[in-house]
Amino acid sequence: RAKHEGKNGVRTFQPAMGDETTERVDLERDLREALVREEFVLHYQGQFDVRSQALVGFEALVRWQHPTQGLLPPGKFIHVAEDSELILPLGDWVLRQACRQAAAWGANERGFTISVNVSALQFEHANLLQSVEQALASSGLNPRRLILELTESVVLRHPEAAAGHLTRLRDLGVRIALDDFGTGHSSLSLLRQMPIDVLKIDRSFIQDSHPWEAASSRVLIGVMVTLAHGLKMKVTAEGVETAEQHALLRELGCDVLQGFLLSRPLAASQAEALLSPPAA
Ligand code: C2E
Ligand code: MG
Ligand code: MG
Ligand code: MG
């Protein structure tokens, strides 16, 4: 998304901008209609205990069942939803749907968690607390079963307000995960000030194409695990694709694994099968 800023920050007209703007406006309009027509769906990716490989939770990941373009990943539309205020009703829908599904799958009795991504605008919006309370109340999901995933950049935008928001959410019994950890402007004082329960190590540390990078990543993952455990946080590794990565993450002391090796994000009907694998 190129921005054409002239001097004094005044936007100057560029030939390409017309098309881009039209496309954006179209997408925004389509998103608005999609909300009304309920074209969004959640896929669920399993999260597994690093040792027993038992299922411990799911991450809810939104997709758009587009009438003509098929199933669209969040990368295709979430930024537009975030730039308009559409992320508020969409995020609300995701929360309610994820809590309802987890409760229907027996999260309360079986003890697994459901993780929901929360974007900046949603987090800063006064209604998040109420939204979460309503999603919990209407689904009957135990707050201990819900994990909200936020990124470092979101928390760092207004650190003082963020600490207050997080504390109020946590007072409900909900847990907080720091998503894509290590990719933003991570600050150690952030971990000290914020009530965070889970660090999710970004997949860029897990998946290295070069051996020399892999050596440093190994050291960094080890440090992140020590740091997290020292602060009484759990560690989830995302983007685990190979058995070698699994073995290394286990050796380094990660608690929970998420990645294509163990399960891809799945439609609800398929994800449900992870709960009760057929007897051999
Ligand atoms: P994320 O929260 O970091 O989610 C993990 C992403 O990594 C997902 O992509 C997932 O499909 C992908 N992934 C999982 N395991 C592997 C693996 O082993 N290898 C590789 N290459 N990728 C893996 P997805 O579903 O396309 O979502 C992308 C991002 O969109 C998410 O990143 C999250 O930031 C955002 N997102 C998804 N759903 C929502 C939502 O409901 N609300 C908001 N605000 N953002 C969402
Ligand atoms: Mg996430
Ligand atoms: Mg992530
Ligand atoms: Mg990510």
Side-chain angles (χ1 to χ4, degrees):
R1 284 182 285 144
K3 280 218 175 93
H4 308 282
E5 303 269 322
K7 52 175 186 247
N8 309 324
V10 172
R11 283 165 137 254
T12 53
F13 184 79
Q14 301 270 326
M17 195 172 90
D19 298 346
E20 243 177 62
T21 309
T22 316
E23 247 173 62
R24 233 184 137 66
V25 170
D26 286 350
L27 185 55
E28 215 180 293
R29 187 204 53 215
D30 290 352
L31 275 174
R32 217 174 281 278
E33 283 172 12
L35 267 168
V36 177
R37 295 195 209 139
E38 300 193 61
E39 288 171 0
F40 294 101
V41 287
L42 293 183
H43 279 194
Y44 298 88
Q45 186 175 28
Q47 299 174 322
F48 302 85
D49 180 90
V50 74
R51 293 186 178 277
S52 69
Q53 294 196 54
L55 180 96
V56 295
F58 290 101
E59 179 174 5
L61 296 158
V62 72
R63 275 95 181 88
W64 179 6
Q65 187 62 64
H66 193 281
T68 57
Q69 294 175 46
L71 195 65
L72 300 179
K76 293 261 195 239
F77 61 87
I78 208 91
H79 60 279
V80 176
E82 281 172 343
D83 290 352
S84 59
E85 294 207 327
L86 288 171
I87 194 67
L88 297 174
L90 177 57
D92 213 46
W93 178 84
V94 169
L95 252 174
R96 279 184 283 117
Q97 182 68 11
C99 290
R100 195 183 319 153
Q101 185 60 267
W105 282 339
N108 291 348
E109 306 81 46
R110 297 177 192 238
F112 64 84
T113 59
I114 182 81
S115 293
V116 175
N117 293 285
V118 173
S119 63
L121 196 62
Q122 242 183 311
F123 181 62
E124 285 155 14
H125 202 271
N127 277 343
L128 181 64
L129 194 70
Q130 211 188 329
S131 236
V132 170
E133 274 180 312
Q134 278 171 2
L136 290 169
S138 66
S139 64
L141 186 71
N142 180 334
R144 294 300 294 163
R145 307 271 70 91
L146 177 62
I147 300 179
L148 300 178
E149 294 196 0
L150 294 143
T151 60
E152 297 152 288
S153 53
V154 168
V155 176
L156 281 171
R157 261 159 64 147
H158 307 285
E160 264 148 43
H165 285 350
L166 291 179
T167 304
R168 282 186 288 280
L169 286 165
R170 251 168 134 233
D171 287 344
L172 296 177
V174 166
R175 276 175 283 184
I176 309 293
L178 211 47
D179 204 356
D180 305 340
F181 187 71
T183 56
H185 298 274
S186 318
S187 130
L188 294 182
S189 66
L190 177 76
L191 297 181
R192 195 185 50 186
Q193 293 159 10
M194 304 292 165
I196 288 157
D197 304 278
V198 181
L199 278 195
K200 288 191 86 172
I201 301 179
D202 190 70
R203 71 164 181 262
S204 57
F205 293 94
I206 317 293
Q207 304 168 349
D208 279 303
S209 38
H210 304 295
W212 62 89
E213 274 181 14
S216 330
S217 285
R218 192 191 161 101
V219 172
L220 291 175
I221 294 168
V223 169
M224 290 190 262
V225 170
T226 304
L227 183 68
H229 287 169
L231 296 171
K232 308 245 182 312
M233 299 172 187
K234 296 284 184 199
V235 181
T236 299
E238 54 181 12
V240 184
E241 292 183 353
T242 69
E244 290 72 32
Q245 291 164 355
H246 181 166
L248 178 64
L249 291 162
R250 177 180 170 148
E251 190 189 313
L252 291 172
C254 286
D255 303 295
V256 173
L257 301 185
Q258 185 179 342
F260 295 169
L261 176 70
L262 295 150
S263 174
R264 291 188 169 257
L266 301 167
S269 57
Q270 292 170 291
E272 190 174 7
L274 293 177
L275 289 171
S276 44

